[in-house]
Amino acid sequence: MARLLINGDDLVVRPSWWEKIATGHRQIRVPLSAVARVEEASAWWRPLRGEPKRTSYVPGMAHLGVWRHEDGQDFVAVHPWKPVVVVETYGKAPFARIAVSVRDAQAAKNLVPDHGR
C-alpha cells in the first residue's frame, strides 16, 4: 500500500514497490498549497471515476494507474476492502485527485493539518 509523507512544502505519495511497477510512478509530489481536501472514502470503489487511461487491474486485488475524466486525470492505487484516502487538488497539481489505499486512513488524513480550505 502507498504511503503519504510531507517533504518540505510538498505532499509526497509513495506507492509500494509493486504499485510503482504497475503504475509507472515512483512517487507523486503535490505542493501543499494545491491540496484542497484530504478525506477517507466511504467505500474503496467510490473514488474511481472516468475512463482508465494507463491502468492495471488485478481482479479482487487492485485498481492501479491513471484514470481520465472531464476535469483532468486521477492517480489511483486502490485495493478492495482496504481504507482509501482521497486527496483533492487544484492549481499546479499533476492530478485532480489522488486515491490510494493506506494502512491507517486517520493518520494519513491528519498528515495535512490545514487541508479543509
Side-chain angles (χ1 to χ4, degrees):
M1 283 187 259
R3 292 185 325 165
L4 278 69
L5 311 162
I6 300 293
N7 186 341
D9 291 333
D10 292 339
L11 173 65
V12 179
V13 179
R14 288 197 177 140
S16 67
W17 67 270
W18 71 276
E19 290 171 338
K20 291 176 189 177
I21 293 169
T23 64
H25 286 82
R26 290 183 55 216
Q27 68 178 7
I28 298 163
R29 294 181 85 79
V30 177
L32 289 172
S33 61
V35 174
R37 181 174 48 220
V38 180
E39 61 188 14
E40 183 176 2
S42 58
W44 68 267
W45 48 268
R46 289 203 181 263
L48 301 176
R49 64 181 178 174
E51 298 286 325
K53 181 178 174 185
R54 293 183 319 256
T55 63
S56 296
Y57 169 62
V58 182
M61 290 188 63
H63 292 274
L64 307 164
V66 177
W67 289 57
R68 66 176 164 216
H69 48 82
E70 64 185 37
D71 295 328
Q73 59 184 13
D74 297 343
F75 177 83
V76 176
V78 174
H79 303 273
W81 320 119
K82 303 290 184 193
V84 175
V85 170
V86 180
V87 179
E88 299 274 346
T89 66
Y90 59 89
K92 296 187 177 193
F95 297 101
R97 180 189 287 172
I98 299 166
V100 293
S101 290
V102 295
R103 293 192 194 292
D104 185 349
Q106 191 63 39
K109 282 174 43 179
N110 293 335
L111 191 62
V112 183
D114 59 347
H115 61 266
R117 297 177 191 187

